[in-house]
């Protein structure tokens, strides 16, 4: 039984990589947290925020499959430590994410919030807090094609001692580039 989670901020390649990974893992099923939220009306109509308790209840029904790949940025908020064997946290340069978010027509506020979350590593930190350092690995997808990222996920799953965390530091990069203000006021 293989139980892998893929998480990270919007735009880092979670769904593309999950689709490719599912082709490499025999008889695997992708469980998309966003689809569970939408198909089970677990979204608050007024605030447009996910009802995490309701989402978790529906998600638990899906986790009964043998080989699963759970994908979504809300993963550390709806899955518990013992429910997955390994979690890959995908990261992408904030410089690349700006272009992705603009193509997706994110509002300025949504764009800025997601960029800052990536720079500060919020998804990484929250995943680390829930699953611990032995179950997670960080992958920078900025320059990797999705197939390369899938290879890294499989390698990290198979080789627990080779898993890496804390290797991505966008904050240091943007300060070195003198771009801190640019990311605080994204146009």
């Amino acid at each position: 039984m293989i139980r892998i989670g893929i998480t990270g901020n919007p735009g880092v390649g979670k769904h593309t990589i999950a689709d490719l990974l599912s082709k490499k893992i025999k008889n695997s099923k992708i469980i998309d947290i966003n689809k569970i939220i939408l198909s089970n009306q677990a979204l608050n109509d007024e605030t447009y925020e996910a009802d995490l308790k309701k989402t978790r209840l529906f998600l638990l029904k899906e986790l009964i499959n043998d080989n699963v790949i759970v994908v979504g940025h809300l993963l550390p908020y709806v899955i518990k430590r013992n429910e997955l064997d390994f979690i890959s946290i995908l990261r992408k340069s904030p410089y690349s994410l700006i272009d992705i978010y603009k193509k997706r027509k994110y509002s300025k506020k949504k764009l800025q919030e997601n960029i800052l979350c990536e720079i500060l590593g919020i998804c990484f930190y929250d995943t680390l807090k829930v699953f611990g350092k032995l179950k997670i690995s960080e992958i920078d997808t900025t320059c990797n094609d999705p197939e390369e990222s899938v290879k890294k996920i499989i390698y990290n799953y198979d080789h627990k001692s080779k898993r890496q965390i804390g290797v991505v530091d966008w904050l240091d990069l943007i300060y070195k580039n003198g771009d801190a203000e640019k990311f605080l006021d994204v146009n």
Side-chain angles (χ1 to χ4, degrees), residues 43-66:
L43 192 65
N44 184 309
D45 292 333
E46 294 174 19
T47 64
Y48 298 106
E49 291 183 13
D51 180 331
L52 298 179
K53 287 181 182 177
K54 191 174 183 180
T55 301
R56 178 166 169 67
L57 291 174
F58 287 108
L59 185 62
L60 288 174
K61 294 176 189 174
E62 298 291 325
L63 282 174
I64 60 172
N65 293 295
D66 287 338

PDB file of all heavy atoms in Angstrom, residues 43-66:
ATOM      1  N   LEU A  43     -17.702  24.228   0.806  1.00  0.00           N
ATOM      2  CA  LEU A  43     -17.213  25.594   0.634  1.00  0.00           C
ATOM      3  C   LEU A  43     -18.263  26.552   1.179  1.00  0.00           C
ATOM      4  O   LEU A  43     -19.435  26.473   0.800  1.00  0.00           O
ATOM      5  CB  LEU A  43     -16.965  25.875  -0.856  1.00  0.00           C
ATOM      6  CG  LEU A  43     -16.198  27.123  -1.223  1.00  0.00           C
ATOM      7  CD1 LEU A  43     -14.766  27.049  -0.713  1.00  0.00           C
ATOM      8  CD2 LEU A  43     -16.188  27.307  -2.735  1.00  0.00           C
ATOM      9  N   ASN A  44     -17.831  27.438   2.052  1.00  0.00           N
ATOM     10  CA  ASN A  44     -18.737  28.426   2.633  1.00  0.00           C
ATOM     11  C   ASN A  44     -19.118  29.430   1.551  1.00  0.00           C
ATOM     12  O   ASN A  44     -18.241  30.081   0.962  1.00  0.00           O
ATOM     13  CB  ASN A  44     -18.063  29.119   3.817  1.00  0.00           C
ATOM     14  CG  ASN A  44     -18.977  30.082   4.528  1.00  0.00           C
ATOM     15  OD1 ASN A  44     -19.607  30.939   3.918  1.00  0.00           O
ATOM     16  ND2 ASN A  44     -19.041  29.949   5.844  1.00  0.00           N
ATOM     17  N   ASP A  45     -20.410  29.558   1.280  1.00  0.00           N
ATOM     18  CA  ASP A  45     -20.888  30.439   0.214  1.00  0.00           C
ATOM     19  C   ASP A  45     -20.579  31.913   0.464  1.00  0.00           C
ATOM     20  O   ASP A  45     -20.425  32.685  -0.475  1.00  0.00           O
ATOM     21  CB  ASP A  45     -22.399  30.272   0.009  1.00  0.00           C
ATOM     22  CG  ASP A  45     -22.738  28.915  -0.568  1.00  0.00           C
ATOM     23  OD1 ASP A  45     -21.892  28.330  -1.262  1.00  0.00           O
ATOM     24  OD2 ASP A  45     -23.863  28.440  -0.314  1.00  0.00           O
ATOM     25  N   GLU A  46     -20.501  32.311   1.707  1.00  0.00           N
ATOM     26  CA  GLU A  46     -20.269  33.721   2.038  1.00  0.00           C
ATOM     27  C   GLU A  46     -18.783  34.089   2.031  1.00  0.00           C
ATOM     28  O   GLU A  46     -18.398  35.131   1.521  1.00  0.00           O
ATOM     29  CB  GLU A  46     -20.880  34.049   3.402  1.00  0.00           C
ATOM     30  CG  GLU A  46     -22.397  33.960   3.401  1.00  0.00           C
ATOM     31  CD  GLU A  46     -22.996  34.144   4.791  1.00  0.00           C
ATOM     32  OE1 GLU A  46     -22.305  34.680   5.672  1.00  0.00           O
ATOM     33  OE2 GLU A  46     -24.158  33.755   4.974  1.00  0.00           O
ATOM     34  N   THR A  47     -17.949  33.227   2.593  1.00  0.00           N
ATOM     35  CA  THR A  47     -16.522  33.556   2.725  1.00  0.00           C
ATOM     36  C   THR A  47     -15.657  32.900   1.655  1.00  0.00           C
ATOM     37  O   THR A  47     -14.494  33.252   1.505  1.00  0.00           O
ATOM     38  CB  THR A  47     -15.986  33.126   4.105  1.00  0.00           C
ATOM     39  OG1 THR A  47     -16.074  31.692   4.211  1.00  0.00           O
ATOM     40  CG2 THR A  47     -16.741  33.798   5.231  1.00  0.00           C
ATOM     41  N   TYR A  48     -16.212  31.946   0.937  1.00  0.00           N
ATOM     42  CA  TYR A  48     -15.475  31.153  -0.057  1.00  0.00           C
ATOM     43  C   TYR A  48     -14.294  30.409   0.563  1.00  0.00           C
ATOM     44  O   TYR A  48     -13.296  30.143  -0.097  1.00  0.00           O
ATOM     45  CB  TYR A  48     -15.005  32.017  -1.242  1.00  0.00           C
ATOM     46  CG  TYR A  48     -16.148  32.615  -2.000  1.00  0.00           C
ATOM     47  CD1 TYR A  48     -16.442  33.974  -1.882  1.00  0.00           C
ATOM     48  CD2 TYR A  48     -16.940  31.839  -2.828  1.00  0.00           C
ATOM     49  CE1 TYR A  48     -17.510  34.533  -2.569  1.00  0.00           C
ATOM     50  CE2 TYR A  48     -18.010  32.390  -3.514  1.00  0.00           C
ATOM     51  CZ  TYR A  48     -18.275  33.730  -3.378  1.00  0.00           C
ATOM     52  OH  TYR A  48     -19.333  34.270  -4.061  1.00  0.00           O
ATOM     53  N   GLU A  49     -14.411  30.067   1.826  1.00  0.00           N
ATOM     54  CA  GLU A  49     -13.384  29.284   2.508  1.00  0.00           C
ATOM     55  C   GLU A  49     -13.890  27.859   2.674  1.00  0.00           C
ATOM     56  O   GLU A  49     -15.075  27.623   2.877  1.00  0.00           O
ATOM     57  CB  GLU A  49     -13.061  29.891   3.873  1.00  0.00           C
ATOM     58  CG  GLU A  49     -12.337  31.224   3.769  1.00  0.00           C
ATOM     59  CD  GLU A  49     -11.950  31.784   5.126  1.00  0.00           C
ATOM     60  OE1 GLU A  49     -12.019  31.047   6.133  1.00  0.00           O
ATOM     61  OE2 GLU A  49     -11.591  32.958   5.180  1.00  0.00           O
ATOM     62  N   ALA A  50     -12.956  26.920   2.619  1.00  0.00           N
ATOM     63  CA  ALA A  50     -13.314  25.511   2.760  1.00  0.00           C
ATOM     64  C   ALA A  50     -13.663  25.191   4.203  1.00  0.00           C
ATOM     65  O   ALA A  50     -13.023  25.683   5.133  1.00  0.00           O
ATOM     66  CB  ALA A  50     -12.157  24.636   2.302  1.00  0.00           C
ATOM     67  N   ASP A  51     -14.676  24.379   4.367  1.00  0.00           N
ATOM     68  CA  ASP A  51     -15.022  23.831   5.677  1.00  0.00           C
ATOM     69  C   ASP A  51     -14.105  22.620   5.865  1.00  0.00           C
ATOM     70  O   ASP A  51     -14.336  21.554   5.309  1.00  0.00           O
ATOM     71  CB  ASP A  51     -16.498  23.424   5.699  1.00  0.00           C
ATOM     72  CG  ASP A  51     -16.935  22.839   7.024  1.00  0.00           C
ATOM     73  OD1 ASP A  51     -16.103  22.240   7.732  1.00  0.00           O
ATOM     74  OD2 ASP A  51     -18.128  22.972   7.349  1.00  0.00           O
ATOM     75  N   LEU A  52     -13.054  22.793   6.650  1.00  0.00           N
ATOM     76  CA  LEU A  52     -12.025  21.768   6.768  1.00  0.00           C
ATOM     77  C   LEU A  52     -12.524  20.504   7.469  1.00  0.00           C
ATOM     78  O   LEU A  52     -12.127  19.395   7.107  1.00  0.00           O
ATOM     79  CB  LEU A  52     -10.797  22.337   7.482  1.00  0.00           C
ATOM     80  CG  LEU A  52     -10.113  23.507   6.762  1.00  0.00           C
ATOM     81  CD1 LEU A  52      -8.929  24.013   7.563  1.00  0.00           C
ATOM     82  CD2 LEU A  52      -9.701  23.130   5.351  1.00  0.00           C
ATOM     83  N   LYS A  53     -13.409  20.656   8.441  1.00  0.00           N
ATOM     84  CA  LYS A  53     -13.947  19.474   9.131  1.00  0.00           C
ATOM     85  C   LYS A  53     -14.799  18.638   8.179  1.00  0.00           C
ATOM     86  O   LYS A  53     -14.682  17.418   8.130  1.00  0.00           O
ATOM     87  CB  LYS A  53     -14.764  19.890  10.351  1.00  0.00           C
ATOM     88  CG  LYS A  53     -13.907  20.395  11.491  1.00  0.00           C
ATOM     89  CD  LYS A  53     -14.750  20.777  12.686  1.00  0.00           C
ATOM     90  CE  LYS A  53     -13.847  21.319  13.789  1.00  0.00           C
ATOM     91  NZ  LYS A  53     -14.603  21.774  14.947  1.00  0.00           N
ATOM     92  N   LYS A  54     -15.638  19.304   7.429  1.00  0.00           N
ATOM     93  CA  LYS A  54     -16.495  18.617   6.461  1.00  0.00           C
ATOM     94  C   LYS A  54     -15.639  17.970   5.363  1.00  0.00           C
ATOM     95  O   LYS A  54     -15.871  16.830   4.973  1.00  0.00           O
ATOM     96  CB  LYS A  54     -17.483  19.620   5.859  1.00  0.00           C
ATOM     97  CG  LYS A  54     -18.583  19.009   5.045  1.00  0.00           C
ATOM     98  CD  LYS A  54     -19.588  20.085   4.623  1.00  0.00           C
ATOM     99  CE  LYS A  54     -20.751  19.510   3.864  1.00  0.00           C
ATOM    100  NZ  LYS A  54     -21.703  20.546   3.455  1.00  0.00           N
ATOM    101  N   THR A  55     -14.636  18.706   4.906  1.00  0.00           N
ATOM    102  CA  THR A  55     -13.733  18.179   3.880  1.00  0.00           C
ATOM    103  C   THR A  55     -13.046  16.918   4.380  1.00  0.00           C
ATOM    104  O   THR A  55     -12.944  15.922   3.663  1.00  0.00           O
ATOM    105  CB  THR A  55     -12.678  19.241   3.493  1.00  0.00           C
ATOM    106  OG1 THR A  55     -13.359  20.401   3.008  1.00  0.00           O
ATOM    107  CG2 THR A  55     -11.719  18.721   2.444  1.00  0.00           C
ATOM    108  N   ARG A  56     -12.570  16.942   5.609  1.00  0.00           N
ATOM    109  CA  ARG A  56     -11.881  15.788   6.191  1.00  0.00           C
ATOM    110  C   ARG A  56     -12.794  14.558   6.234  1.00  0.00           C
ATOM    111  O   ARG A  56     -12.365  13.451   5.907  1.00  0.00           O
ATOM    112  CB  ARG A  56     -11.365  16.125   7.584  1.00  0.00           C
ATOM    113  CG  ARG A  56     -10.692  14.948   8.254  1.00  0.00           C
ATOM    114  CD  ARG A  56      -9.879  15.322   9.473  1.00  0.00           C
ATOM    115  NE  ARG A  56      -9.484  14.134  10.203  1.00  0.00           N
ATOM    116  CZ  ARG A  56      -8.642  13.203   9.772  1.00  0.00           C
ATOM    117  NH1 ARG A  56      -8.088  13.325   8.584  1.00  0.00           N
ATOM    118  NH2 ARG A  56      -8.346  12.149  10.499  1.00  0.00           N
ATOM    119  N   LEU A  57     -14.032  14.753   6.605  1.00  0.00           N
ATOM    120  CA  LEU A  57     -14.965  13.623   6.671  1.00  0.00           C
ATOM    121  C   LEU A  57     -15.135  12.957   5.307  1.00  0.00           C
ATOM    122  O   LEU A  57     -15.133  11.728   5.197  1.00  0.00           O
ATOM    123  CB  LEU A  57     -16.315  14.078   7.215  1.00  0.00           C
ATOM    124  CG  LEU A  57     -16.330  14.490   8.687  1.00  0.00           C
ATOM    125  CD1 LEU A  57     -17.703  15.050   9.064  1.00  0.00           C
ATOM    126  CD2 LEU A  57     -15.964  13.312   9.580  1.00  0.00           C
ATOM    127  N   PHE A  58     -15.279  13.762   4.264  1.00  0.00           N
ATOM    128  CA  PHE A  58     -15.417  13.217   2.912  1.00  0.00           C
ATOM    129  C   PHE A  58     -14.100  12.598   2.436  1.00  0.00           C
ATOM    130  O   PHE A  58     -14.097  11.566   1.766  1.00  0.00           O
ATOM    131  CB  PHE A  58     -15.893  14.284   1.931  1.00  0.00           C
ATOM    132  CG  PHE A  58     -17.332  14.650   2.111  1.00  0.00           C
ATOM    133  CD1 PHE A  58     -17.692  15.865   2.649  1.00  0.00           C
ATOM    134  CD2 PHE A  58     -18.341  13.760   1.756  1.00  0.00           C
ATOM    135  CE1 PHE A  58     -19.025  16.205   2.831  1.00  0.00           C
ATOM    136  CE2 PHE A  58     -19.683  14.083   1.929  1.00  0.00           C
ATOM    137  CZ  PHE A  58     -20.023  15.313   2.471  1.00  0.00           C
ATOM    138  N   LEU A  59     -13.006  13.203   2.806  1.00  0.00           N
ATOM    139  CA  LEU A  59     -11.684  12.715   2.413  1.00  0.00           C
ATOM    140  C   LEU A  59     -11.389  11.352   3.024  1.00  0.00           C
ATOM    141  O   LEU A  59     -10.829  10.474   2.359  1.00  0.00           O
ATOM    142  CB  LEU A  59     -10.623  13.739   2.844  1.00  0.00           C
ATOM    143  CG  LEU A  59      -9.193  13.491   2.448  1.00  0.00           C
ATOM    144  CD1 LEU A  59      -9.045  13.469   0.935  1.00  0.00           C
ATOM    145  CD2 LEU A  59      -8.298  14.577   3.023  1.00  0.00           C
ATOM    146  N   LEU A  60     -11.770  11.138   4.263  1.00  0.00           N
ATOM    147  CA  LEU A  60     -11.515   9.859   4.930  1.00  0.00           C
ATOM    148  C   LEU A  60     -12.179   8.695   4.201  1.00  0.00           C
ATOM    149  O   LEU A  60     -11.639   7.592   4.155  1.00  0.00           O
ATOM    150  CB  LEU A  60     -11.978   9.912   6.388  1.00  0.00           C
ATOM    151  CG  LEU A  60     -11.105  10.765   7.310  1.00  0.00           C
ATOM    152  CD1 LEU A  60     -11.725  10.863   8.696  1.00  0.00           C
ATOM    153  CD2 LEU A  60      -9.682  10.231   7.387  1.00  0.00           C
ATOM    154  N   LYS A  61     -13.322   8.957   3.593  1.00  0.00           N
ATOM    155  CA  LYS A  61     -14.010   7.918   2.813  1.00  0.00           C
ATOM    156  C   LYS A  61     -13.188   7.512   1.593  1.00  0.00           C
ATOM    157  O   LYS A  61     -13.248   6.376   1.138  1.00  0.00           O
ATOM    158  CB  LYS A  61     -15.390   8.405   2.369  1.00  0.00           C
ATOM    159  CG  LYS A  61     -16.354   8.619   3.514  1.00  0.00           C
ATOM    160  CD  LYS A  61     -17.656   9.201   3.012  1.00  0.00           C
ATOM    161  CE  LYS A  61     -18.551   9.619   4.159  1.00  0.00           C
ATOM    162  NZ  LYS A  61     -19.750  10.314   3.712  1.00  0.00           N
ATOM    163  N   GLU A  62     -12.433   8.461   1.058  1.00  0.00           N
ATOM    164  CA  GLU A  62     -11.618   8.211  -0.134  1.00  0.00           C
ATOM    165  C   GLU A  62     -10.296   7.509   0.190  1.00  0.00           C
ATOM    166  O   GLU A  62      -9.706   6.874  -0.664  1.00  0.00           O
ATOM    167  CB  GLU A  62     -11.309   9.529  -0.850  1.00  0.00           C
ATOM    168  CG  GLU A  62     -12.527  10.258  -1.363  1.00  0.00           C
ATOM    169  CD  GLU A  62     -13.190   9.540  -2.515  1.00  0.00           C
ATOM    170  OE1 GLU A  62     -12.496   8.921  -3.338  1.00  0.00           O
ATOM    171  OE2 GLU A  62     -14.430   9.585  -2.590  1.00  0.00           O
ATOM    172  N   LEU A  63      -9.829   7.622   1.423  1.00  0.00           N
ATOM    173  CA  LEU A  63      -8.528   7.068   1.801  1.00  0.00           C
ATOM    174  C   LEU A  63      -8.529   5.553   1.985  1.00  0.00           C
ATOM    175  O   LEU A  63      -7.499   4.987   2.341  1.00  0.00           O
ATOM    176  CB  LEU A  63      -8.021   7.732   3.080  1.00  0.00           C
ATOM    177  CG  LEU A  63      -7.424   9.122   2.919  1.00  0.00           C
ATOM    178  CD1 LEU A  63      -7.092   9.729   4.269  1.00  0.00           C
ATOM    179  CD2 LEU A  63      -6.205   9.116   2.027  1.00  0.00           C
ATOM    180  N   ILE A  64      -9.658   4.905   1.742  1.00  0.00           N
ATOM    181  CA  ILE A  64      -9.727   3.456   1.927  1.00  0.00           C
ATOM    182  C   ILE A  64      -9.079   2.689   0.771  1.00  0.00           C
ATOM    183  O   ILE A  64      -8.851   1.502   0.871  1.00  0.00           O
ATOM    184  CB  ILE A  64     -11.177   2.977   2.139  1.00  0.00           C
ATOM    185  CG1 ILE A  64     -12.040   3.343   0.937  1.00  0.00           C
ATOM    186  CG2 ILE A  64     -11.748   3.521   3.427  1.00  0.00           C
ATOM    187  CD1 ILE A  64     -13.435   2.747   0.962  1.00  0.00           C
ATOM    188  N   ASN A  65      -8.756   3.363  -0.305  1.00  0.00           N
ATOM    189  CA  ASN A  65      -8.115   2.710  -1.448  1.00  0.00           C
ATOM    190  C   ASN A  65      -6.693   2.297  -1.087  1.00  0.00           C
ATOM    191  O   ASN A  65      -6.059   2.888  -0.218  1.00  0.00           O
ATOM    192  CB  ASN A  65      -8.090   3.655  -2.648  1.00  0.00           C
ATOM    193  CG  ASN A  65      -9.480   3.923  -3.166  1.00  0.00           C
ATOM    194  OD1 ASN A  65     -10.134   3.026  -3.648  1.00  0.00           O
ATOM    195  ND2 ASN A  65      -9.931   5.162  -3.050  1.00  0.00           N
ATOM    196  N   ASP A  66      -6.186   1.292  -1.789  1.00  0.00           N
ATOM    197  CA  ASP A  66      -4.851   0.785  -1.501  1.00  0.00           C
ATOM    198  C   ASP A  66      -3.750   1.792  -1.800  1.00  0.00           C
ATOM    199  O   ASP A  66      -2.994   2.168  -0.933  1.00  0.00           O
ATOM    200  CB  ASP A  66      -4.594  -0.506  -2.273  1.00  0.00           C
ATOM    201  CG  ASP A  66      -5.377  -1.674  -1.692  1.00  0.00           C
ATOM    202  OD1 ASP A  66      -5.749  -1.598  -0.506  1.00  0.00           O
ATOM    203  OD2 ASP A  66      -5.609  -2.640  -2.427  1.00  0.00           O
TER     204      ASP A  66
END
